[in-house]
Amino acid sequence: MRTKPKPKPKIGWLYQTYYPSPATPSTHITISKASSFRQSIELYKNSDEMERGKEQGLMVPRLMPQQNPLEQLQAKFKEVENGFRTWLAKQSMPVEAAVVTGTSAAQGAAIGAFMGTLTNDISSSLPTPQSSLNPQAMASLQQAQALSGGPLVQARNFAVMTGVNAGISCVMRRLRGKEDVQSSMVAAFGSGAMFSLVSGIGGPNQAANAVSSGLFFALVQGGLFQLGKKFSQPPAEDPYYSRTRSMLNSLGLQNYEKNFKKGLLTDSTLPLLTDSALRDVKIPPGPRLLILDHIQRDPELREKLGSRG
């Protein structure tokens, strides 16, 4: 008995749609070589028809979920940044120091130019230094002009300051193998001294002013480094409240840890806790019941309570 061949889907102004059955959970969208894109879309029901579509020159696009362009840009920037850091780590110390100094100087120049646009009006209102002024007044006026210059002046000052700091930090990290407060203060001293020389802050004695500015920058940077290190470290866990903290976290009552510490209810007092003791540290009735029930159910605490009794 001869079987009738399956009808071929028409391509052109007519298109044919096949609805999937439970045996075929997915459909395939195909695009033919017809004159119009919209007129050539067909839904194929099984893989046999899909293969015939490929033989006829049909393309099969896949519907991909749209991604946020901003996320794509951030991911691309992160990839480029990681690649740049990997390449830079393989370079010699002079090359790395030069690249880090240049990139940091460019960033500092951009920041300085922006700051200079804000202080441009102030610098234009300052008087021109007169030779009749005493040295102290002349130094103060020069310092004010250096700190309130236009975009080009501020771009130069910030480029020197940030570039020198980053370059010295890079060299110190390569030489000492770590980043600590000493390396940070050395880099800040160099950037402060160069900033003083370039900006012209101070009186006629440029060397003394460079040293004093470098020392000031180093002290400030050292203090900020220590302060940041202190706040970045996690707080040390109190060994006397480790069991209490674990119990409160398991009950969702971690907010009452300060009540335990205020009443000096340490881990050793857990087997002895009573409703009145918890009431004295101002713990509400509901949490008190949960805490006492947990202590009664804990075999270790119950054993300690029995041995003491």
Side-chain angles (χ1 to χ4, degrees):
M1 181 176 180
R2 298 179 60 184
T3 59
K4 295 182 180 181
K6 296 181 180 180
K8 295 183 179 180
K10 297 181 180 181
I11 299 176
W13 291 96
L14 299 178
Y15 60 90
Q16 187 175 357
T17 304
Y18 294 92
Y19 295 93
S21 62
T24 58
S26 62
T27 59
H28 304 276
I29 299 178
T30 60
I31 303 174
S32 69
K33 291 184 177 179
S35 59
S36 176
F37 176 82
R38 294 181 179 178
Q39 297 167 358
S40 61
I41 296 180
E42 298 179 356
L43 298 179
Y44 284 90
K45 187 165 110 175
N46 49 40
S47 59
D48 295 336
E49 293 180 353
M50 185 68 180
E51 293 297 330
R52 288 203 306 271
K54 290 182 180 180
E55 293 176 359
Q56 296 175 4
L58 306 180
M59 299 176 61
V60 185
R62 295 183 179 272
L63 298 179
M64 301 297 293
Q66 292 185 352
Q67 296 182 357
N68 190 351
L70 184 59
E71 293 180 356
Q72 292 180 351
L73 183 61
Q74 290 177 349
K76 188 66 176 178
F77 178 78
K78 193 68 176 179
E79 181 182 355
V80 173
E81 183 182 7
N82 293 336
F84 176 75
R85 291 181 181 275
T86 303
W87 172 83
L88 193 61
K90 298 178 182 179
Q91 306 305 313
S92 61
M93 184 177 67
V95 174
E96 183 181 4
V99 173
V100 169
T101 301
T103 54
S104 299
Q107 295 176 1
I111 297 174
F114 174 74
M115 296 295 295
T117 57
L118 303 179
T119 59
N120 192 17
D121 296 337
I122 301 176
S123 62
S124 60
S125 62
L126 294 175
T128 304
Q130 302 293 333
S131 58
S132 59
L133 293 176
N134 58 62
Q136 293 183 352
M138 181 72 71
S140 300
L141 185 58
Q142 290 178 352
Q143 182 176 2
Q145 289 178 339
L147 297 177
S148 61
L152 294 179
V153 174
Q154 295 297 340
R156 179 200 62 189
N157 295 344
F158 275 81
V160 171
M161 184 171 56
T162 56
V164 172
N165 189 295
I168 296 178
S169 297
C170 177
V171 173
M172 295 295 293
R173 184 177 64 252
R174 279 292 190 97
L175 294 177
R176 306 182 72 232
K178 59 180 180 180
E179 293 183 3
D180 53 7
V181 64
Q182 288 84 4
S183 300
S184 180
M185 292 181 68
V186 170
F189 178 85
S191 64
M194 289 302 298
F195 175 77
S196 176
L197 294 175
V198 172
S199 61
I201 294 178
N205 194 347
Q206 293 292 329
N209 293 327
V211 173
S212 61
S213 298
L215 290 175
F216 175 75
F217 274 59
L219 292 176
V220 172
Q221 181 67 22
L224 294 176
F225 186 91
Q226 292 293 97
L227 190 64
K229 184 178 179 181
K230 179 180 178 180
F231 283 99
S232 62
Q233 291 179 348
E237 185 173 350
D238 194 342
Y240 297 102
Y241 293 93
S242 59
R243 185 69 181 271
T244 303
R245 183 179 299 105
S246 176
M247 177 191 68
L248 294 176
N249 288 336
S250 64
L251 296 175
L253 304 175
Q254 56 271 14
N255 293 334
Y256 295 103
E257 182 180 349
K258 59 181 181 298
N259 300 69
F260 276 78
K261 291 183 177 181
K262 186 176 181 180
L264 300 179
L265 300 178
T266 61
D267 292 347
S268 59
T269 64
L270 286 180
L272 306 175
L273 284 181
T274 61
D275 185 77
S276 60
L278 294 175
R279 189 187 304 112
D280 291 339
V281 294
K282 298 181 180 180
I283 296 180
R288 290 204 305 265
L289 294 174
L290 292 175
I291 293 171
L292 293 175
D293 180 71
H294 179 84
I295 294 174
Q296 291 293 332
R297 294 174 179 273
D298 193 309
E300 184 178 352
L301 295 177
R302 191 169 52 203
E303 182 181 354
K304 289 182 179 180
L305 181 61
S307 62
R308 291 187 180 186

